[in-house]
Amino acid sequence: MRGLPKLKVNFEYEKKQKAKAVKIPKAHVYNLSKVRKIVVGLLIILVLYFAYVLVLANSVAIKNRELRHNITNLTTRLDKASAGTTSYNPIVGQYLANFVTAYYTFDKTKSDAWLDKVTPYFAKNVTLSSSTNTENMKLLQAKLNGIFTVDSIKTAQYNLTIDNDGKQNAIIVNVPYTQDNDKLTVIGCS
């Protein structure tokens, strides 16, 4: 084989290195049925919790309604129990007797003096004028019927006999008043 040219083949080759695989972090994969079970479970827990809160709120509302009803009944019973009782107190009796005497004894010629005499009995927000009374009158008799408490306002009821220019009239008047220890104030007169 002589005539054949020699072939030189270069068998050198570069070794290829294997490319290292890029590590991708594994994603958490959830099973769809598992997720549904968790969501349904949370919804059931929330519904049960709200139902429990609703039952508690309803029971509190019922208790409040019952308490308000009891308070109203007790207040009514207390007003009825204290109505008509005179529970005579000398300070109250004397004060109201002086007021009734001063208020229902009126002379047209001395209206300013009457106003000065009656004004201290009334509360500061009650205003009177000298034209309140237009006829001469004189208190002949006053009898206390009782002291009533209605809506926490004490009211003394009197039977009065008044002389109006020679005519005797019998009237019933209510005198609402407030009391703070030994201090009394008339808050109106009817």
Side-chain angles (χ1 to χ4, degrees), residues 22 28 42 56 60 129:
V22 177
H28 294 285
L42 286 175
L56 286 179
V60 167
S129 68

Side-chain angles (χ1 to χ4, degrees), residues 89 91-92 95 179-185:
N89 182 340
I91 295 172
V92 174
Y95 180 84
Q179 181 177 4
D180 186 13
N181 293 331
D182 62 341
K183 193 173 187 178
L184 290 132
T185 305

